[in-house]
Amino acid sequence: ITGKNKSSGTIGVNFNHALAYVTVNFDGEDVITLSNAKLNGTYQSGTYTVTYGSPTSVVWTSQDDAEDLDLNEGKLTSNYTTSFLVVPEDNNDASNTISFNYTIEGMTGSPISKSIDLSETWAAGKHYIYNVSIGANEIKFEVTTVNGWDDDEIPTVIQ
């Protein structure tokens, strides 16, 4: 730390996380069975560069190909929560979605397939919480962005 002298007391040092934190919660009626649930289009590696003395110069580059991450699945008798740390989308063209199949107890035929487009650009040090509630008649979707991993909610509901 430049320009500080610890002769007594403490010197505060603030750190921010270089990754984005993404959580997907599924809940619903116990007659629903979830399968093939994925968080699509995430980056798991890249090059993190920051210029000393210039915190606004932080940038992620050289990300590998986007990957799909598996989410919890099964009968929705309880909530399924899955969280990941991912490379932020500073300099890439990621197109993120939550995709899943589900069946309703007693239905015949193929599972119902859904894909939800995510419009948020994931930033470093922020926590994005996606809540997907599946019912026999509707699917509710809510996104909460938590700035700096503190409580700051921006809810959106799509039916």
Side-chain angles (χ1 to χ4, degrees), residues 15 23 26 39 68 70 80-81 98 111-112 114 118 137 150:
F15 289 96
T23 297
F26 283 100
L39 178 62
D68 298 339
D70 292 330
Y80 291 120
T81 298
I98 296 172
I112 300 165
K114 291 292 181 185
L118 307 179
N137 297 315
D150 292 328

Side-chain angles (χ1 to χ4, degrees), residues 5 11 13 22 25 39-40 44 51 56 58 69 82 90 102 105 109-110 115 118-119 122 134 139 155:
N5 182 4
I11 297 174
V13 179
V22 179
N25 299 311
L39 178 62
N40 309 105
Q44 298 301 300
T51 303
T56 58
V58 173
L69 300 174
T82 309
D90 296 334
Y102 70 96
E105 192 173 285
S110 299
S115 181
L118 307 179
S119 60
W122 297 335
I134 305 171
I139 296 173

